[in-house]
Amino acid sequence: MPHTVAALYQFVALPDAATLAPALERVCRRLGLTGTLLLAREGTNGTVAGSAEAIDAFLAALNGPDLFDGRLDRLECKLSTAEAPPFARMKVKLKPEIVTFDGGATDPSEGAGTYVAPEAWNALLDRPGVVAIDTRNRFEVALGTFAGAVDPGLTRFGDFRDFAETLDPAAELALFCTGGIRCEKAGAYLAARGFARVHLLQGGILKYLETVPEAESRWTGDCFVFDGRIALGPALAERPDHPPEALR
């Protein structure tokens, strides 16, 4: 039977992250899940896999009173499937940030830009003067991206801060990444520096590939994912046939 994979994140104040970590890991192990979840004072991020019933129970637990007590009310979650187990074990880690960027100085809860639904993304890309920017690392961009998008050539996500210095604050920008978390942090960083016209692909590339029919898609290539499936294509089909040298 295929495994259900849940990729999720939310920026939300979690001052009790250290207390939550062991409780969250107990829930995951009880349900037989594998994967990695990150907890920080700024929120949660990660990907887990298991049976469809176990993933349903996990998501219900996240929304219940025993763990986050209703705080994950804007959880961004993408569900997909894997033919083979995509992870070897379960890990819950306490981190300074749920996506490493600038030590937590940037707070997306203070504003990150305008969220654009996947169904409206093509129209945004067609708008005159809009600059689409891929906020992922360069090896990810090499596997696939939106036609015409700018590749900042990032080795690590924190390098986006240097790239931002080359951008015009008056420009209209369209940021995207795998699931939404990196462009949300990048958008917040730009907004704090006076960029007023920043758009974010809601749900990221994965939601776009799931939602937009391949015949209408502006995406070219595959989307790297941080699990054993390697990459996903249109309709989130597995694309594992990439050589190791392409993944660095």
Side-chain angles (χ1 to χ4, degrees):
M1 294 292 291
H3 301 259
T4 297
V5 182
L8 56 93
Y9 81 91
Q10 183 178 329
F11 286 104
V12 58
L14 296 178
D16 54 343
T19 303
L20 286 168
L24 181 60
E25 184 163 4
R26 284 194 296 271
V27 170
C28 293
R29 293 191 182 281
R30 174 173 57 81
L31 294 172
L33 303 183
T34 58
T36 299
L37 292 171
L38 305 181
L39 286 173
R41 295 178 65 86
E42 68 175 6
T44 186
N45 174 33
T47 307
V48 295
S51 69
E53 295 78 12
I55 293 296
D56 285 345
F58 169 70
L59 295 176
L62 294 186
N63 291 318
D66 296 334
L67 287 172
F68 295 94
D69 196 22
R71 286 176 287 180
L72 298 187
D73 56 343
R74 295 179 294 103
L75 189 70
E76 186 67 54
C77 181
K78 271 78 64 181
L79 297 178
S80 56
T81 60
E83 289 301 318
F87 302 104
R89 58 188 184 278
M90 186 68 227
K91 297 177 287 185
V92 177
K93 299 181 178 181
L94 194 64
K95 293 283 188 177
E97 299 175 88
I98 56 173
V99 56
T100 302
F101 187 64
D102 60 0
T106 297
D107 183 3
S109 69
E110 295 181 359
T114 302
Y115 298 90
V116 179
E119 299 88 343
W121 186 249
N122 289 355
L124 174 63
L125 297 183
D126 287 339
R127 189 182 301 173
V130 168
V131 179
I133 300 175
D134 196 326
T135 65
R136 301 171 303 150
N137 294 339
R138 60 189 179 191
F139 83 89
E140 298 172 77
V141 179
L143 290 189
T145 190
F146 285 104
V150 174
D151 174 12
L154 307 181
T155 301
R156 57 188 181 89
F157 181 46
D159 294 339
F160 184 88
R161 291 174 289 161
D162 292 331
F163 170 74
E165 298 298 320
T166 70
L167 298 174
D168 179 1
E172 187 171 17
L173 307 179
L175 309 184
F176 62 92
C177 61
T178 307
I181 187 170
R182 282 180 279 184
C183 57
E184 193 166 340
K185 182 67 78 86
Y189 182 83
L190 293 174
R193 281 150 185 80
F195 288 76
R197 299 197 294 168
V198 177
H199 307 279
L200 315 173
L201 176 56
Q202 190 166 27
I205 299 161
L206 296 181
K207 194 64 177 178
Y208 181 92
L209 292 176
E210 178 186 29
T211 305
V212 177
E214 187 173 3
E216 301 172 14
S217 179
R218 304 292 179 83
W219 179 261
T220 59
D222 297 333
C223 179
F224 178 82
V225 289
F226 294 89
D227 61 58
R229 296 172 295 176
I230 309 295
L232 302 179
L236 303 184
E238 293 186 51
R239 299 288 184 86
D241 53 344
H242 292 279
E245 59 268 22
L247 306 177
R248 57 176 182 264

